[in-house]
């Protein structure tokens, strides 16, 4: 992977998390992710795509945030 590919992936925002939501930790690790990175992505997918009583807020977050905003605002 080069930096351009990395930046393009980050620019996907929560779309990247939507893709990650369909995977397990072992799936991500088998794709080359470090276990800690897989855990981090799974934590974020639970926040943005998991069950919540605040579905309207969750939908707004999914519609508006980029992965950079998510990572830097934790």
């Amino acid at each position: 992977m080069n930096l351009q590919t990395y930046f393009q992936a980050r620019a996907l925002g929560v779309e990247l998390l939507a893709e990650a939501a369909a995977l397990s930790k072992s799936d991500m690790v088998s794709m080359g992710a470090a276990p800690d990175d897989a855990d981090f992505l799974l934590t974020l997918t639970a926040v943005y795509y998991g069950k919540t009583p605040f579905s309207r807020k969750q939908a707004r977050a999914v519609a508006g945030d980029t992965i950079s905003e998510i990572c830097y605002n934790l």
Side-chain angles (χ1 to χ4, degrees):
M1 178 200 271
N2 60 34
L3 281 176
Q4 183 177 5
T5 304
Y6 171 74
F7 293 136
Q8 288 170 340
R10 287 181 56 106
L12 291 173
V14 292
E15 292 175 33
L16 186 64
L17 295 179
E19 188 175 332
L23 302 173
S24 68
K25 179 178 179 176
S26 61
D27 292 335
M28 291 183 206
V29 170
S30 70
M31 294 170 72
D36 289 344
D37 290 337
D39 287 336
F40 182 67
L41 281 174
L42 290 172
T43 298
L44 289 177
T45 60
V47 169
Y48 281 83
Y49 292 96
K51 290 188 177 193
T52 178
F54 304 103
S55 58
R56 188 175 298 162
K57 288 183 180 184
Q58 186 182 49
R60 276 187 259 154
V62 168
D65 280 347
T66 65
I67 196 76
S68 296
E69 291 166 339
I70 296 166
C71 292
Y72 294 119
N73 289 326
L74 285 180

